[in-house]
Each structure stands twice: as structure tokens, then as C-alpha cells.
Amino acid sequence: MNVIVLIKEVPDMDTVRFDTENGRVDRSSAEAEINPFDLNALQAAVELKEQGATVTVLTMGPPRAEKTVRDAYARGADLGVLLSDSKFGGADTWATSVTLAAGIKKLGAFDLVLCGEKSVDGDTAQVGAEIAEILGIPHAYYVEHIQNVSKDSIQVRVEDICGSKQVRELTLPALISVTKNLNTVQLPEIRRKLLSLNVPITKFGLEDMAGHTSQEQVGLKGSKTKVLKIYVPAEIQRNNRIYRDHFNQFQKNVWAELCKRNLLPNRGDQHEII
């Protein structure tokens, strides 16, 4: 089985800054790491190696993203591929999906594509499904358990947005997007980390994927959407009031505050709050 894991290099969201004027995340302001949700997808792929699977990680990014690919190798991947070209810059989710799908086609035959449910920087949860549609393969989102994998199909359990569970069976090749409930991510072995320092990384630019996509379909030119504005919400400070000894006063103040905010009708008679 040939398994492809889609990973994304994301900034540390605890320290990253935002370029609010240009509507972008200032990725140079924080250390980069593998998107946490993608680590669960990679862990699932590594576990499939026990059944003889070959694991290839695929990412799109600037040359520095090679470090992220090496980290994925340290965590158990067999091969690493980086799609890097200045023409890929500024891509929205659709143009990103087109580029990644072209990379998958370039790699040739595959059985399963794994990805995390979303990225912590974009939080759209769109790329996986878009790639599946471009490739013309079935897909399942919010997979929390892989129940069975055979030569021709995969059976998974998913949790929908209402909290109900479903068991779905997909014909291979297919794409599944996994949640953090799927597994527990393991730390890389020292031996693999040392090997990852010198392992060769395959790199594809736009010209390398000729026939699978074009300059008009990737980057800014291929993007269907544009971010007009980005802002960081102001922190809301709580203004707490504590009533320990005078319940009647507490009752009156709560009622008055609710009326002031137009959450209850402002009536002159007394009401008992239960």
C-alpha cells in the first residue's frame, strides 16, 4: 500500500504576529512546526507500515519547509516531497489544493491519502476535500477511528458536527481527514532524527509538474478568494461582582442588569429569579 500524508508547515500560534494591514500571517515572526492535526495523520500512516505500507509525506512551502519534511521522516515517514516554487506563493485553499493534487499525480499510483482535519493557522478544513474532488476519489472527514484496511477498501468511523457516529467504507484509492482523537502522537526516535539530517528530500517546482497543473491555476493567479482584512479580537475583561451575604440585593441587581442589556422586559413589578 502506498500512503501519502499531507502535512503543512505552520507557525507557533502562541508567538506568531499578524500583518493586519495586508491580511496575512507573519510567518517569519515565529518558529515553524508541523501542523498538530497533521501529526495524527502521520501517526496513522506510520501504524499502517506494520501492514507493509510505504509512507510518503508531501507538503507545499518555501525552501525552509524542508526542515518540516525532515521532521516527518524522523517520525517514521519513508520518503519526503517538497513542492516549492515562488509561483505557488499567495495561494488560497483552492490553489493550494490544485498544487498538492498535482504533486500527488506527479508521484504516480497511490492507495490512500491522509491529512489532518484542519490547520491551526487557516482553520478552514477545506483542502483535503478539495484535493479529493480534484483527484476524483472518495473522501471522509473527521475520522476518529480506522476500523479495517483491505487491498481494495478502508472502513472508518467518523463523528459528524452533531456528535453522532457513522461507519463508512470507502473504495481505494481514497482520502481521509483525521481528528486528534484518532491516536496518540509518538515522539521521534533519536536514531531517526539523526538519519533525517541527511536523508534526501525530493523537490518539485511548477515546471516539474507540467501536464498536471499550470501557472494560471496556482498561487495568486489560481486563487478564487482573497483576504481583505485580518484582525486580532480585543481581549474581553470580566467585571465580576460578588454577593455573598445579601441574596435579595443580588437578585435585584441581576434583574436590573438583564433589563439594561435588553435581555428581559424592563417591568416595574418585582420578579422572582429562580
Side-chain angles (χ1 to χ4, degrees):
M1 172 174 283
N2 292 321
V3 180
I4 297 175
V5 183
L6 304 177
I7 63 173
K8 183 180 182 182
E9 181 187 79
V10 297
D12 182 347
M13 298 306 291
D14 291 331
T15 59
V16 72
R17 295 192 300 268
F18 295 89
D19 182 357
T20 56
E21 183 176 345
N22 296 308
R24 295 189 180 94
V25 178
D26 183 4
R27 298 180 184 275
S28 64
S29 64
E31 288 292 324
E33 60 187 6
I34 297 179
N35 176 49
F37 290 98
D38 297 342
L39 289 176
N40 296 95
L42 178 57
Q43 181 65 42
V46 171
E47 292 171 2
L48 288 173
K49 288 182 65 173
E50 297 179 2
Q51 302 178 29
T54 299
V55 179
T56 302
V57 293
L58 174 66
T59 190
M60 182 186 84
R64 69 169 185 269
E66 181 178 319
K67 178 182 177 183
T68 299
V69 178
R70 293 187 183 280
D71 186 16
Y73 180 87
R75 293 174 181 272
D78 298 303
L79 303 168
V81 180
L82 171 61
L83 308 181
S84 187
D85 195 308
S86 60
K87 298 180 180 66
F88 298 155
D92 67 356
T93 58
W94 176 252
T96 297
S97 300
V98 168
T99 306
L100 289 170
I104 293 172
K105 293 176 183 178
K106 174 72 175 178
L107 289 173
F110 66 94
D111 299 292
L112 181 64
V113 179
L114 285 162
C115 63
E117 66 174 88
K118 58 186 177 183
S119 63
V120 294
D121 56 349
D123 204 22
T124 64
Q126 296 174 355
V127 171
E130 290 176 341
I131 290 174
E133 291 299 313
I134 294 170
L135 295 176
I137 60 175
H139 70 277
Y141 254 58
Y142 305 112
V143 172
E144 63 175 18
H145 182 60
I146 299 175
Q147 298 188 180
N148 185 44
V149 181
S150 68
K151 180 181 178 181
D152 302 313
S153 66
I154 183 170
Q155 192 177 78
V156 297
R157 186 177 73 232
V158 304
E159 180 178 358
D160 63 24
I161 58 176
C162 297
S164 62
K165 312 285 185 179
Q166 297 179 352
V167 174
R168 300 177 184 174
E169 186 169 335
L170 292 78
T171 301
L172 298 178
L175 180 147
I176 63 173
S177 176
V178 306
T179 72
K180 300 191 78 171
N181 296 329
L182 179 69
N183 52 37
T184 300
V185 175
Q186 303 298 309
L187 294 174
E189 299 176 355
I190 296 296
R191 180 183 64 86
R192 295 282 304 190
K193 286 184 72 68
L194 293 175
L195 289 174
S196 70
L197 298 176
N198 299 306
V199 68
I201 304 298
T202 301
K203 299 177 184 178
F204 294 143
L206 181 61
E207 292 184 0
D208 298 310
M209 298 190 292
H212 301 300
T213 190
S214 67
Q215 186 173 348
E216 300 300 319
Q217 296 176 301
V218 301
L220 279 174
K221 288 187 176 181
S223 296
K224 307 294 185 181
T225 60
K226 181 179 180 181
V227 177
L228 297 179
K229 182 179 180 181
I230 185 172
Y231 68 95
V232 179
E235 293 187 9
I236 299 176
Q237 299 294 328
R238 291 187 177 184
N239 185 16
N240 298 329
R241 298 179 185 178
I242 300 175
Y243 298 88
R244 288 192 175 94
D245 302 321
H246 304 286
F247 178 75
N248 290 338
Q249 187 62 43
F250 158 77
Q251 183 181 32
K252 293 178 181 178
N253 288 349
V254 169
W255 186 264
E257 188 65 28
L258 292 176
C259 292
K260 178 181 177 181
R261 300 188 183 190
N262 295 320
L263 298 175
L264 289 174
N266 189 4
R267 298 171 57 180
D269 55 332
Q270 292 292 323
H271 293 268
E272 181 179 358
I273 299 178
I274 301 177

